[in-house]
Amino acid sequence: MGYEYILVEKKESVGLITLNRPKALNALCAGLIDDLGRALDDMEADDDIGAVVLTGSEKAFAAGADIKEMSEKDFMDVYLQDFITKGWERITTCRKPIIAAVAGYALGGGCEVAMMCDFIIAGENAKFGQPEITIGTIPGSGGTQRLTRFVGKSKAMEMCLTGRLMDAEEAERSGLVSRIVPNDELLSDALKTAQQIAGLSRPIVLMAKECVNRSYETTLSEGVRYERRVFHSTFATEDQKEGMAAFAEKRQPKWKNR
Ligand SMILES: CC(C)=CC(=O)SCCNC(=O)CCNC(=O)[C@H](O)C(C)(C)COP(=O)(O)OP(=O)(O)OC[C@H]1O[C@@H](n2cnc3c(N)ncnc32)[C@H](O)[C@@H]1OP(=O)(O)O
């Protein structure tokens, strides 16, 4: 089955998903979220793919949930459908690493989707924000929670209460994005980074991702204990043997992904 609102490509072991609803600045309508979920299902099932890049256009990663679509809904619609969590959370359950390559606006649900990815690389013109308050609502897909963990209470509170946008430099200073690159290098940089990850041992990459994510869910001592157990588990893999042997023998490792 094809996709209506996204483009899906494979670039040397990396799945590339480009949000493609240009006339609406990639506003996240139900159809787009459905497309995204199905693309991630396909990429998870594809053994050739070791990492995913999610991107938009130079003007907008995504300008938020589709306001026109939302404006039709009443309380019972959103409550009974558990709108907006369902579907969107597919990004957070993807086991393969996902890099958000963000240029332009990443607002409301767009900022939330970027934060659901494993890390964000920003183009110089990127702008992040949770402006829902200006249209009479609040973030509904983790914005108040994830933004606070990324940038701290003071900045998150200001952004959620006023709708103020954060530019790429402030986002980098605040820890929301891992780094900034020129817009015309954004996609190639994100793909190169994803290819680097895809070239490592698949199970070890999954374990590292699980451990970092655990730090959001638990106490420091529980997290450290969890990490130690997973670290021990790496010693049960063929790739840990290969990686360390290759280092000692001064050669490149040949991963078996086992
Ligand atoms: C409520 C929850 C849970 C989550 C949300 O995400 S709410 C939405 C949060 N996002 C916003 O409030 C941003 C809305 N958009 C804007 O403020 C502006 O579009 C802009 C500042 C991002 C860009 O302004 P610009 O003047 O350059 O472009 P526009 O003419 O305003 O937009 C072009 C085109 O796109 C449509 N558009 C933009 N954003 C959305 C959106 N979130 N939902 C639906 N449609 C959107 C906009 O209406 C216009 O299309 P038309 O010319 O056909 O109206």
Side-chain angles (χ1 to χ4, degrees), residues 70-89:
M70 268 188 302
S71 67
E72 307 286 316
K73 295 182 189 292
D74 64 17
F75 170 76
M76 270 308 151
D77 295 327
V78 295
Y79 182 70
L80 292 176
Q81 293 164 11
D82 204 9
F83 182 75
I84 197 164
T85 306
K86 249 200 212 157
W88 296 55
E89 285 198 340

Side-chain angles (χ1 to χ4, degrees), residues 18-39:
T18 306
L19 304 179
N20 187 33
R21 210 188 158 205
K23 288 189 185 144
L25 303 185
N26 294 331
L28 303 162
C29 59
L32 189 153
I33 294 299
D34 183 53
D35 278 358
L36 187 54
R38 284 189 295 113

Side-chain angles (χ1 to χ4, degrees), residues 23-25 27 59 63-68 70 84 105 107-110 112 131-132 134-135 137-141:
K23 288 189 185 144
L25 303 185
K59 172 146 188 187
D66 189 319
I67 300 169
K68 293 168 192 168
M70 268 188 302
I84 197 164
Y105 295 110
L107 304 184
E112 290 171 311
E132 289 90 342
T134 65
I135 56 164
T137 185
I138 67 168
S141 208

Side-chain angles (χ1 to χ4, degrees), residues 10-257:
K10 196 149 98 176
K11 306 257 184 193
E12 290 173 41
S13 307
V14 171
L16 172 62
I17 301 174
T18 306
L19 304 179
N20 187 33
R21 210 188 158 205
K23 288 189 185 144
L25 303 185
N26 294 331
L28 303 162
C29 59
L32 189 153
I33 294 299
D34 183 53
D35 278 358
L36 187 54
R38 284 189 295 113
L40 288 173
D41 287 345
D42 291 346
M43 288 178 183
E44 288 258 66
D46 185 340
D47 287 341
D48 278 350
I49 291 181
V52 177
V53 170
L54 178 61
T55 195
S57 68
E58 181 153 3
K59 172 146 188 187
F61 176 74
D66 189 319
I67 300 169
K68 293 168 192 168
E69 196 177 71
M70 268 188 302
S71 67
E72 307 286 316
K73 295 182 189 292
D74 64 17
F75 170 76
M76 270 308 151
D77 295 327
V78 295
Y79 182 70
L80 292 176
Q81 293 164 11
D82 204 9
F83 182 75
I84 197 164
T85 306
K86 249 200 212 157
W88 296 55
E89 285 198 340
R90 178 65 188 90
I91 303 163
T92 64
T93 60
C94 181
R95 296 185 75 204
K96 294 183 179 176
I98 310 183
I99 301 173
V102 175
Y105 295 110
L107 304 184
C111 186
E112 290 171 311
V113 163
M115 291 191 291
M116 286 178 198
C117 295
D118 294 310
F119 60 96
I120 303 172
I121 302 177
E124 281 166 328
N125 75 339
K127 282 196 169 52
F128 299 87
Q130 298 291 161
E132 289 90 342
I133 198 99
T134 65
I135 56 164
T137 185
I138 67 168
S141 208
T144 60
Q145 306 304 299
R146 290 196 178 90
L147 188 63
T148 306
R149 282 165 167 81
F150 278 112
V151 305
K153 179 184 165 189
S154 193
K155 269 186 195 290
M157 190 68 93
E158 187 197 351
M159 290 171 73
C160 290
L161 293 188
T162 67
R164 179 174 81 80
L165 308 190
M166 197 184 248
D167 66 18
E169 284 194 7
E170 186 181 3
E172 187 188 30
R173 270 200 315 277
S174 313
L176 178 58
V177 310
S178 66
R179 58 203 162 77
I180 305 172
V181 297
N183 275 0
D184 59 359
E185 291 170 25
L186 177 64
L187 188 56
S188 59
D189 191 297
L191 284 170
K192 205 167 126 200
T193 306
Q195 275 152 3
Q196 186 189 348
I197 295 168
L200 297 167
S201 162
R202 297 283 163 81
I204 305 297
V205 164
L206 297 190
M207 288 181 197
K209 170 170 167 163
E210 260 186 72
C211 283
V212 176
N213 280 338
R214 191 73 171 210
S215 71
Y216 277 98
E217 312 281 342
T218 191
T219 62
L220 178 62
S221 60
E222 274 303 317
V224 169
R225 208 176 356 258
Y226 181 80
E227 179 199 73
R228 191 170 310 135
R229 291 296 171 240
V230 178
F231 164 68
H232 293 161
S233 307
T234 65
F235 284 71
T237 67
E238 293 179 36
D239 284 346
Q240 174 268 336
K241 307 283 171 268
E242 168 63 9
M244 294 191 185
F247 175 81
E249 292 160 19
K250 300 190 189 302
R251 61 172 174 81
Q252 289 299 310
K254 291 192 189 77
W255 305 119
K256 293 195 176 137
N257 297 324

